[in-house]
Amino acid sequence: MGQLPVHSKGDGASAWIARFASTTKPGGAVLDLACGGGRHGRLFLENRHPVCFLDINLGGVADLAGQPGTELVQADLEGGAPWPLPGRRFAAIVVTNYLWRPLFPAIFGALESGGLEPGGLLLYETFMRGNERFGKPSNPDFLLAEDELLDLCRPHCQVIAFEQGEEAAPKPAMRQRIAARHK
Ligand SMILES: C[S@@+](CC[C@H](N)C(=O)[O-])C[C@H]1O[C@@H](n2cnc3c(N)ncnc32)[C@H](O)[C@@H]1O
């Protein structure tokens, strides 16, 4: 595994997400899953996509309440409750710095309960095994295995781009990223 190029941008958005955001269907609905401060959903809002911001704690996106094209959904994704957006299909789903493996069937629409629409784009980026050398997250439950995103996406998606490995900036970390289009 080689050293990855720098993937953070001055505005806080991941350059990986920014790179592929423009390939989302124009005007298509976007889900920023475990959105935190919503740095990626905000990027899509600027690009005229309606955005659903979902998190257990919506404090980071409270300023967006009532803004046109903005939906805020408070939900605990790990509490065993059903997928909180039943039947909703998205032109793009963005997940960064968050991993909860039971969500993958919902993202890929395997439950027929929502998730990516046909042709929809999954942009996923988070930490992988080996990151424990650098700090947190270090719990293997929250670290992707080698090639894990690739293996998860291949049966459902056309993989557009994938990379994994060690990166030096903004701080040393082991990360994995994928951009994939639902078949
Ligand atoms: C490291 S932050 C990443 C935020 C954002 N995706 C980003 O990269 O800027 C992880 C996010 O996951 C959310 N989260 C953690 N547990 C959650 C749960 N059980 N259900 C929904 N969201 C959760 C946290 O509230 C937090 O906003």
Side-chain angles (χ1 to χ4, degrees):
M1 260 180 257
Q3 185 103 352
L4 296 180
V6 173
H7 272 292
S8 63
K9 288 182 67 202
D11 60 5
S14 150
W16 183 262
I17 306 302
R19 174 177 162 195
F20 294 102
S22 64
T23 67
T24 305
K25 183 176 80 178
V30 175
L31 172 60
D32 188 348
L33 195 58
C35 63
R39 60 193 172 124
H40 298 121
R42 292 172 196 268
L43 187 70
F44 282 91
L45 274 180
E46 283 170 19
N47 293 342
R48 300 173 187 232
H49 292 276
V51 178
C52 177
F53 294 86
L54 189 153
D55 203 286
I56 195 169
N57 177 356
L58 292 175
V61 288
D63 61 300
L64 294 172
Q67 296 288 317
T70 300
E71 181 183 5
L72 305 185
V73 175
Q74 191 276 329
D76 180 357
L77 296 166
E78 303 171 18
W83 174 242
L85 301 168
R88 297 275 303 276
R89 293 273 174 189
F90 293 94
I93 297 180
V94 180
V95 193
T96 57
N97 297 347
Y98 180 74
L99 180 61
W100 183 245
R101 291 179 172 88
L103 289 179
F104 280 103
I107 289 173
F108 294 128
L111 303 176
E112 298 303 328
S113 60
L116 283 172
E117 66 186 26
L121 190 64
L122 175 65
L123 299 178
Y124 207 124
E125 166 181 88
T126 195
F127 300 92
M128 67 177 291
R129 294 220 179 121
N131 194 67
E132 62 275 9
R133 286 187 286 128
F134 303 113
K136 296 206 169 186
S138 56
N139 181 339
D141 289 348
F142 305 128
L143 298 176
L144 291 161
E146 188 171 342
D147 292 339
E148 185 170 349
L149 286 177
L150 198 55
D151 293 340
L152 280 163
C153 287
R154 267 188 175 140
H156 310 281
C157 298
Q158 179 193 359
V159 175
I160 301 166
F162 172 78
E163 65 178 32
Q164 60 187 343
E166 181 178 334
E167 62 186 14
K171 58 176 191 168
M174 288 289 287
R175 297 176 68 87
Q176 198 173 112
R177 318 183 156 84
I178 201 161
R181 199 167 288 288
H182 203 291
K183 290 176 189 161

